[in-house]
Amino acid sequence: RPARTGSLLATALLLAAASCVPARDRLPEDAANGTPTPVLPWRARPADNASQLARTADAVESHVRHLRARSLPSQTRGDATRTLTGYFDGGDLVLVVESIEQGDYGASDRRWFFEGAWLYHHRAAGLRLFRDNSSLVPVERRLYLAPDGTPLYSFQALAGNPDAVTAGELTGLLGEARRLRRQLLATD
């Protein structure tokens, strides 16, 4: 009887511990093939503030050469070409690098940082043809987000002039992040 009680207690503890492990971005075939071991010793946490999320995103980029990369074929529409590369820590998508080359209309480099389904940081930089000017001007955007999508910090500028990130832009970026994430997870 004591051995049976100990076995039941051990099983209950294992089930409780397993329920505390966060779900990861794994496809069904990952279980059969074995998921690579994660290389990042830290991850973004929901309680982090914008400064900590910035340090986490910077650390992901500094360790990108240790992550498994998955590039999708370039997509071309007119004179615009878009490339996507996803970076995985183990089986988890942690970074998407999107490069958009628009010929005479400019170019941009966009980075999307994920912890599971949570987009915690997005940054973009590039050059764009501005409607009131015939030359290319610098554009920049930085967002740090809580797990529910609430901005912890946001900044964007066009030609060096700060401009507010609107609710509509934020909704569009969150939708785009979900699409990019699904696209890369489906092809990994």
Side-chain angles (χ1 to χ4, degrees):
R1 181 158 174 106
R4 184 174 173 195
T5 304
S7 175
L8 288 174
L9 180 60
T11 302
L13 288 172
L14 284 173
L15 288 173
S19 68
C20 295
V21 175
R24 298 290 187 208
D25 297 326
R26 290 191 177 84
L27 298 173
E29 55 270 21
D30 286 339
N33 299 335
T35 301
T37 305
V39 297
L40 301 177
W42 31 254
R43 301 295 282 267
R45 296 182 311 272
D48 288 343
N49 60 33
S51 297
Q52 183 58 43
L53 294 176
R55 286 190 292 276
T56 301
D58 289 344
V60 167
E61 284 198 300
S62 70
H63 285 80
V64 76
R65 70 183 177 282
H66 300 292
L67 301 175
R68 184 171 53 90
R70 170 76 169 124
S71 294
L72 299 183
S74 296
Q75 298 173 331
T76 301
R77 187 177 294 163
D79 64 349
T81 301
R82 177 178 158 228
T83 59
L84 281 177
T85 302
Y87 292 90
F88 295 80
D89 181 32
D92 303 327
L93 179 65
V94 294
L95 171 62
V96 175
V97 175
E98 177 184 27
S99 297
I100 302 171
E101 175 60 49
Q102 297 176 311
D104 294 339
Y105 295 98
S108 65
D109 179 61
R110 302 162 79 184
R111 295 175 188 258
W112 312 79
F113 295 84
F114 293 94
E115 180 59 44
W118 169 32
L119 172 70
Y120 68 89
H121 178 45
H122 166 70
R123 69 175 153 232
L127 296 171
R128 188 173 101 191
L129 190 63
F130 191 51
R131 66 181 174 273
D132 297 338
N133 194 338
S134 61
S135 63
L136 295 173
V137 297
V139 294
E140 179 183 6
R141 180 185 302 125
R142 288 189 308 274
L143 296 170
Y144 297 96
L145 304 163
D148 65 357
T150 304
L152 299 171
Y153 173 81
S154 64
F155 171 81
Q156 69 179 1
L158 179 61
N161 300 313
D163 188 26
V165 178
T166 67
E169 287 174 304
L170 181 58
T171 300
L173 287 168
L174 290 171
E176 189 173 350
R178 282 190 297 275
R179 284 188 299 279
L180 292 174
R181 184 173 166 271
R182 276 195 308 268
Q183 186 178 1
L184 280 157
L185 288 172
T187 59
D188 185 48

